[in-house]
Amino acid sequence: MMAHELATLLHTLRNGRALAGKQDIAETAAILKPANPDAIRLGDDCAAIPDGDGYLLLASEGFQDSFVRSMPWFSGYCGVMVNVSDIAAMGGRPVAVVDALWSDTSEAATSILTGLRDGADTYGVPVVGGHTNRRSTHNSLSVAILGRARHLLTSFDARPGEVLIAAIDLRGRWHDPHPFWDASSALCGTEGAARLRGDIELLPTIAEDGLSRAAKDISMAGLLGTALMLAECSGIGMTITLDDIPRPEGAPMERWLSAFPSYGYLLTARREDAEAIMARFRGRGIAASIIGQCDSTQRLDVTWADETETFWDLARMPLMGYAP
């Protein structure tokens, strides 16, 4: 591989819409900054609200008209799936969801709500209320979720010296032309649902067993963007080796690094705990590998074959503005 190939790849990812969207968070956060930022830290997958001997977890996701209109059932299903993933990334278990739906026809609403119901049934999370407008000029969906954690996995607790682990379910398919790698929706039904719920349960048990303190689910920012968000919140740097990332056979590297997998997590851990973590994922058929090393540089450096390039220098240019 020539050096310019890695530089070109990183340039494309660095200047894509996904990371531009994450940069927009800084302005929003400045407006909505809580009165006590130490109590509820911004930048995590969920708001973690202290509650007795644990935490209530609160999160939401919204879906654009173009996606909802082109894939109404799947957008409803994703409303549950991606929120459950956020809860799991914090070391929690889902409790319930509510939705807000706008649709221009009853037929569109029915398809969206059917997907929402199927997702709720598959992941075992009840839909307990929401808002519906079937007389709108557009189609859009927002879903909020409540969960609970005994011990948190956060975006703020990765430490220099830890390794970075990627755990991704490769048993899926693309939803063209979207960047979604779906290893979930084909498993609707009793047997598939049991498998998915067991897979999600890995994250809270890893937290409760003290094997990891920091994690994020791989989001629309892609794997490198998600790693960058984790590094920024924790005030650290990372070096990631692309060849070590679990990847479906035949998936081009650029497309895979831009993908939003239905089940994909980054976790940091002490090296002595890494094998135990990976064994839990692999025991359920989920690919898991050490893909990088955490350091104190505040840079995200990327190695591919024998070339290394800096993807992002947080000390020079913050992403979301959450650096400690």
Side-chain angles (χ1 to χ4, degrees):
M1 186 193 72
M2 304 296 290
H4 70 84
E5 291 183 66
L6 177 57
T8 300
L9 170 65
L10 297 185
H11 175 82
T12 299
L13 296 172
R14 190 185 300 118
N15 293 282
R17 292 182 62 188
L19 283 189
K22 298 303 181 185
Q23 288 176 294
D24 292 343
I25 292 173
E27 186 173 342
T28 302
I31 298 170
L32 299 177
K33 186 175 181 179
N36 183 1
D38 293 329
I40 308 296
R41 297 182 291 188
L42 296 179
D44 233 327
D45 290 273
C46 306
I49 305 165
D51 180 58
D53 61 350
Y55 299 84
L56 291 175
L57 302 177
L58 186 62
S60 66
E61 296 282 351
F63 303 93
Q64 296 180 357
D65 181 89
S66 58
F67 173 50
V68 177
R69 191 176 294 276
S70 65
M71 307 181 78
W73 180 90
F74 188 58
S75 67
Y77 186 89
C78 283
V80 176
M81 180 185 73
V82 300
N83 271 305
V84 168
S85 184
D86 281 341
I87 295 292
M90 294 285 294
R93 297 175 178 87
V95 174
V97 300
V98 296
D99 72 286
L101 169 67
W102 292 263
S103 61
D104 54 6
T105 66
S106 290
E107 291 77 13
T110 296
S111 185
I112 295 164
L113 291 171
T114 299
L116 185 73
R117 180 203 65 197
D118 291 345
D121 289 346
T122 298
Y123 286 97
V125 188
V127 180
V128 297
H131 167 86
T132 303
N133 183 337
R134 292 175 178 245
R135 302 174 187 272
S136 176
T137 59
H138 64 282
N139 291 276
S140 63
L141 174 69
S142 298
V143 181
I145 190 166
L146 180 69
R148 202 168 197 290
R150 298 190 185 102
H151 297 274
L152 290 178
L153 298 170
T154 82
S155 299
F156 302 94
D157 291 304
R159 297 288 182 264
E162 293 182 327
V163 296
L164 180 67
I165 298 167
I168 309 173
D169 193 341
L170 304 182
R171 299 164 294 184
R173 62 189 177 95
W174 295 107
H175 272 294
D176 294 322
H178 305 288
F180 308 133
W181 178 258
D182 178 13
S184 173
S185 66
L187 297 177
C188 287
T190 303
E191 184 175 338
R195 195 192 94 186
L196 290 172
R197 294 179 197 182
D199 293 345
I200 289 293
E201 179 66 15
L202 289 174
L203 279 300
T205 57
I206 286 171
E208 290 162 6
D209 291 343
L211 295 174
S212 175
R213 298 173 302 177
K216 287 191 81 68
D217 72 327
I218 300 172
S219 69
M220 289 295 291
L223 189 146
L224 292 184
T226 301
L228 184 63
M229 295 161 70
L230 176 57
E232 181 177 34
C233 288
S234 290
I236 64 168
M238 296 177 179
T239 297
I240 292 177
T241 302
L242 298 189
D243 287 321
D244 292 338
I245 295 171
R247 180 163 48 124
E249 185 176 355
M253 184 64 78
E254 181 180 329
R255 186 175 195 190
W256 188 237
L257 292 177
S258 302
F260 180 12
S262 63
Y263 189 101
Y265 296 92
L266 300 180
L267 306 93
T268 69
R270 297 170 296 185
R271 184 168 290 276
E272 58 266 31
D273 292 326
E275 191 56 46
I277 292 172
M278 293 187 293
R280 295 190 183 197
F281 288 108
R282 292 168 181 166
R284 296 192 61 83
I286 298 164
S289 301
I290 294 174
I291 65 165
Q293 181 75 36
C294 300
D295 55 49
S296 59
T297 63
Q298 291 190 277
R299 294 193 316 269
L300 180 55
D301 294 331
V302 176
T303 297
W304 195 13
D306 56 351
E307 301 294 336
T308 300
E309 295 276 348
T310 295
F311 177 61
W312 202 286
D313 187 342
L314 289 163
R316 296 179 58 187
M317 184 170 64
L319 180 67
M320 303 178 295
Y322 289 144

